[in-house]
Amino acid sequence: MSLGGLLQHHRGRTRLTQTELAGLSTVSVRAIRNLELGLAKNPRKETIRLLADALRLGGGHRAELFVAAGLQADDASFEVLSVLPSVAATRPHGRGADLERTVGLLRRPSGRIVTVAGLGGSGKTRLALAAAHFLHTETGVPTLWMSVPRASGLDTGIHANGLQAIPAVWMEGLLARAGGATAEAARLVGDRDVLLVIDGNDTTSDGDHVSRATMNSLLAECPRLRILETARTARGREQERTVQLGPLHTQDFTAFDGAHPAPPSPALAVLLDRIAVLRPGYRPDPADTAALREICSLLDELPRALESVACWLVLCPPDELVSMARTEPLLLAAPPGDPATGSWIDRALAQAVAELTPDQRTLLAQLSERGGHWTVEQMTQRLGLSRLSAAVAVQALLHQGLLRREHVERRIAFSVLNLVRAACPSLLPRASRPSHLSYSSHPSLHSQPSQRQEEAPHDGTDHCRDTRRFGTAAGVLRDRSRRDHAA
């Protein structure tokens, strides 16, 4: 059909008059009349975009309208692919600083590739959506979005969070395959000022990914292109261009009562937003608020885990979910529709642990047994490691999202995620586990009398005892540090 015929068809389908369409699109009635009569030649692309938005056209209908207006196929495809879902306009809770850093890196001349890294479920996809929308609002830069396909299906927060899928299958077909068809993608982008978001760009054996060589080739062909990728870890990339996401920051808050209630913590805000979708009108009383607060803590403030809690809240009251979080946090972290084994949290933790060395896995198992928080200095004393070896191990665990950074008594301390501790029996090397230690307890390393005694300088007996307790990791890393010092 001609452009005029298409406009009349879609306007009739939506039952809009020319005057009503003009009011919705801000395009004049005279311009719409001339387009439908075929009197307007070479209409502006912005005019067609406004009309397509007012008619709520997407996918093939939108591309068909642009082609009928005289755009080339690549231009029409670009217009279809550069539409973000409306959810991108909302800022993610508790990620203000991360959002500012991401957008700030993309603004820099050197920030042509920026990586958002973190454990699965930490909100990387949601942050990328917000950053793309913020950059578009500020500078007008359009966004091309692609989700890297996997053999097990798309495992991205867009689908898990109930967000509408972004129609970028064509970009995925060009880039996420062996070698990548970078020439076709480069023709699509050309010299446009474009942000390409590559969601879930992990180098795994269960799916394709966009290689660094493909990205560099695109950047060389498209001088104004910028790339924002999400991945579990940033491989071989400069850390100053990586935004590392951890669990949401916790904040103290009061119950929801009074004329001006205090704002909830970011983790609770995520949970309440999802509850509002599934249970409209639900308002927690003080008892429910305390229960939800404990659930947020036991699930490590991971956004995707908290959204799963909202699904469970449709079936169970908060007090039952608290008991479930204390005994079966992994089950509560996945929605009821996920299988008992192989849920998203199981895959996320397994993928993170697989990136560790055998020594680091053993070390993580031992740290998980102790519970509570600890500093690098305390870790160095207990394991007999050098500061360098301890720092390297902690940094590796942080990059995989398995630790939480805390500030305790003006010191920087760390603790193993509660969900990681719950998964230890199946993911990490088997070691002796005290029978009194439960996954839901978080005692400080210096809170129990026996542990306070261990804070004293070690003699030979204590050193041998700790060596036996921490096993292979301590011996291997200590010997390695000695060899490095000798060298």
Side-chain angles (χ1 to χ4, degrees), residues 36-50:
E36 291 187 352
L37 294 175
L39 301 178
K41 304 299 182 181
N42 301 320
R44 295 173 61 246
K45 183 167 59 177
E46 182 63 25
T47 300
I48 304 302
R49 183 184 297 114
L50 291 172

Side-chain angles (χ1 to χ4, degrees), residues 20-206:
E20 290 171 337
L21 180 58
L24 292 173
S25 64
T26 70
V27 178
S28 68
V29 176
R30 180 179 179 180
I32 295 175
R33 183 183 303 114
N34 290 339
L35 287 172
E36 291 187 352
L37 294 175
L39 301 178
K41 304 299 182 181
N42 301 320
R44 295 173 61 246
K45 183 167 59 177
E46 182 63 25
T47 300
I48 304 302
R49 183 184 297 114
L50 291 172
L51 292 172
D53 292 341
L55 293 168
R56 298 183 178 181
L57 299 181
H61 293 306
R62 191 181 185 93
E64 186 181 22
L65 188 68
F66 278 103
V67 170
L71 273 70
Q72 298 296 324
D74 284 352
D75 293 330
S77 298
F78 181 85
E79 292 295 330
V80 172
L81 297 180
S82 60
V83 178
L84 287 173
S86 58
V87 71
T90 59
R91 295 170 67 93
H93 295 292
R95 297 297 189 193
D98 299 314
L99 178 60
E100 292 178 5
R101 173 170 167 76
T102 304
V103 176
L105 289 174
L106 291 171
R107 289 196 195 103
R108 296 180 184 177
S110 60
R112 299 195 66 191
I113 298 181
V114 178
T115 303
V116 177
L119 182 69
S122 58
K124 302 184 295 294
T125 301
R126 187 68 188 79
L127 180 65
L129 278 168
H133 175 80
F134 190 92
L135 196 65
H136 174 72
T137 303
E138 181 185 62
T139 64
V141 174
T143 300
L144 291 178
W145 186 285
M146 63 170 289
S147 297
V148 177
R150 302 186 184 281
S152 56
L154 286 173
D155 188 17
T156 169
I158 284 186
H159 301 271
N161 298 350
L163 311 183
Q164 64 181 19
I166 299 176
V169 178
W170 192 63
M171 284 296 295
E172 294 165 6
L174 288 183
L175 298 179
R177 64 189 186 199
T182 55
E184 297 178 41
R187 281 197 299 271
L188 170 69
V189 176
D191 59 353
R192 295 185 178 97
D193 195 1
V194 175
L195 173 66
L196 171 62
V197 180
I198 307 175
D199 188 34
N201 195 30
D202 299 310
T203 55
T204 58
S205 58
D206 64 343

Side-chain angles (χ1 to χ4, degrees), residues 253-258 268 282-293 318:
F253 63 98
T254 58
F256 288 81
D257 54 4
L268 186 61
Y282 173 79
R283 183 179 177 86
D285 57 26
D288 287 352
T289 300
L292 296 178
R293 178 181 184 177

Side-chain angles (χ1 to χ4, degrees), residues 244 246-250 373-374 394-395 398-399 402-408 411-417:
Q244 186 74 36
L248 290 172
H249 300 293
T250 57
H373 53 260
W374 37 268
V394 171
Q395 191 76 2
L398 274 176
H399 283 172
L402 302 172
L403 298 182
R404 174 192 292 280
R405 183 186 287 106
E406 303 173 349
H407 293 274
V408 181
R411 297 181 301 172
I412 299 178
F414 306 91
S415 62
V416 180
L417 297 188

